[in-house]
Amino acid sequence: MSEWAVVTGASGGLGEAFARELADQGSNVVLVARSGDKMEQLASELSARHGVETLVVPCDLSDPDQRASLVSRLDGLDVHTLVNNAGFGSSGMLGGHPPDGCPRTGTSFFTNAGNGYAMSQRRTPGQVVSSTFAALRSGKPYVVDGPGNKLAAQVTRFPPTRVLVQAASWVATR
């Protein structure tokens, strides 16, 4: 039986980049996202380029019935990797969101994070995925690259959690 990787949010951005990298490594790939047309194109490309099998599963993971259907579709596959990339963004205090969950924004970070010089300095989804796999191959349990990010990661280890939450709240409301 062949091994499969399941990638949610596979219709673009990081999900697409993870699917490409996994196919390049020889994994068969299950592509999961709401946009079936985009995934069909990606599936054809991955199969042709890498000789792997693909399975496209259009699915809105916020819908319990569609999640159950996804689980049924995966039954019988030897899944060795899950890239749980589907998601959404929100801002503000967690307590201010409705009890049934956070609001969905439908935005893509890499599409909407800004433009100009700042965006020209940001990494592409493919670069993020490449550094992630490089860290995994070297046995690191986390990835923090870039001197500014490393400094921020170290500094946040020392203050009490409540101070960090207050600081994050202050930044989010500015």
Side-chain angles (χ1 to χ4, degrees), residues 63-125:
D63 181 326
D65 292 333
Q66 290 188 40
R67 287 194 308 265
S69 177
L70 170 63
V71 170
S72 295
R73 295 279 306 270
L74 298 177
D75 191 38
L77 295 181
D78 182 14
V79 176
H80 67 83
T81 302
L82 168 64
V83 178
N84 199 9
N85 178 66
F88 58 90
S90 64
S91 62
M93 296 293 290
L94 181 61
H97 292 297
D100 60 345
C102 294
R104 296 179 66 147
T105 63
T107 61
S108 167
F109 173 79
F110 285 98
T111 302
N112 298 305
N115 57 26
Y117 177 76
M119 279 309 292
S120 71
Q121 301 304 305
R122 294 184 193 252
R123 301 175 69 205
T124 66

Side-chain angles (χ1 to χ4, degrees), residues 1-68:
M1 180 179 287
S2 57
E3 293 186 330
W4 289 80
V6 177
V7 181
T8 66
S11 61
L14 288 171
E16 179 182 340
F18 271 109
R20 290 179 185 282
E21 179 67 25
L22 288 161
D24 186 52
Q25 294 180 14
S27 290
N28 297 318
V29 184
V30 179
L31 305 169
V32 181
R34 290 177 289 172
S35 178
D37 293 340
K38 290 179 183 178
M39 291 188 301
E40 289 292 348
Q41 290 175 324
L42 178 60
S44 295
E45 180 186 334
L46 296 178
S47 293
R49 180 175 289 168
H50 302 290
V52 298
E53 293 180 63
T54 57
L55 174 61
V56 173
V57 183
C59 179
D60 182 348
L61 293 171
S62 68
D63 181 326
D65 292 333
Q66 290 188 40
R67 287 194 308 265

